[in-house]
């Protein structure tokens, strides 16, 4: 694991530096530690800023990414995010990250990050990953799929807003770290959004869209769709 975290350190130094201004607006001050309310605070970039005189080193510290996430779930995967919701010192800085753990044959299902490009580093195991392009200008063409098998030390980039996935094809656990060009990249898991929304999308809409019988949509909407952050 020492080698794995050494690779992760190098990865983060370069990717965080390169994506710092990839998506979020540039900060207007050295930092803006987020606070949960408006008392004695200034609103900047959507979050209230802590009084700079009250900022402490702990505002910039997150601990625990050395610990594996719980993959005992339907997907066989776990995401441990470190964005502005977990580390308030990231507010206005335009970066965040996450640890991803996969049980054998676990999956991080097709999803998008609407506000950030993702640089993905595999440190353990073997993953099959890929993303799909947006709708082409020519209606005669299809969305294009880009895929690769990743091995420890490999880095793969998922462009902002495009549907992508990661699947553990190995018989052992897999561990990866992701870096994002946003303090809050957001996640939309496709199946959850389509079949597990609250309230539910009218099944007639989905039956027409997917060109299937309504009973199939009813079955899918009746399933439990856990979010994976």
């Amino acid at each position: 694991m020492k080698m794995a975290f050494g690779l992760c350190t190098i990865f983060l130094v370069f990717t965080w530096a390169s994506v710092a201004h990839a998506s979020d607006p540039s900060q207007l001050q050295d930092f803006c530690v987020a606070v949960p309310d408006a008392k004695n605070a200034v609103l900047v970039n959507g979050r209230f800023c802590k009084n700079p005189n009250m900022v402490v080193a702990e505002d910039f510290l997150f601990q625990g990414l050395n610990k594996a996430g719980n993959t005992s779930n339907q997907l066989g995967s776990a995401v441990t995010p470190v964005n502005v919701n977990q580390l308030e010192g990231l507010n206005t800085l335009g970066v965040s990250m996450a640890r991803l753990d996969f049980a054998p044959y676990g999956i991080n299902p097709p999803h998008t990050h609407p506000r950030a490009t993702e640089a993905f580093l595999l440190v353990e195991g073997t993953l099959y990953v890929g993303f799909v392009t947006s709708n082409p200008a020519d209606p005669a063409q299809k969305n294009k799929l880009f895929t690769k098998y990743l091995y420890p030390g490999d880095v793969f980039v998922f462009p902002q807003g495009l549907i992508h996935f990661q699947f553990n094809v190995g018989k052992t656990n897999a561990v990866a770290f992701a870096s994002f060009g946003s303090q809050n990249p957001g996640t939309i898991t496709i199946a959850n959004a389509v079949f597990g929304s609250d309230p539910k999308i009218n099944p007639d809409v989905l039956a027409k869209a997917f060109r299937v019988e309504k009973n199939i949509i009813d079955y899918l909407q009746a399933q439990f769709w856990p979010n994976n952050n």
Side-chain angles (χ1 to χ4, degrees), residues 98-110:
R99 171 178 173 142
L100 296 92
D101 291 278
F102 299 84
Y105 308 110
I107 188 171
N108 191 13

Side-chain angles (χ1 to χ4, degrees), residues 6-31:
L7 285 170
C8 184
T9 300
I10 296 172
F11 169 74
L12 292 175
V13 167
F14 285 98
T15 56
W16 278 43
S18 64
V19 303
H21 299 287
S23 179
D24 289 354
S26 298
Q27 64 266 27
L28 303 177
Q29 61 286 315
D30 289 341
F31 51 77

Side-chain angles (χ1 to χ4, degrees), residues 71 75-76 102-107 167-174:
T71 59
L75 300 173
F102 299 84
Y105 308 110
I107 188 171
F167 178 54
N168 185 2
V169 295
K171 297 181 180 179
T172 61
N173 293 337

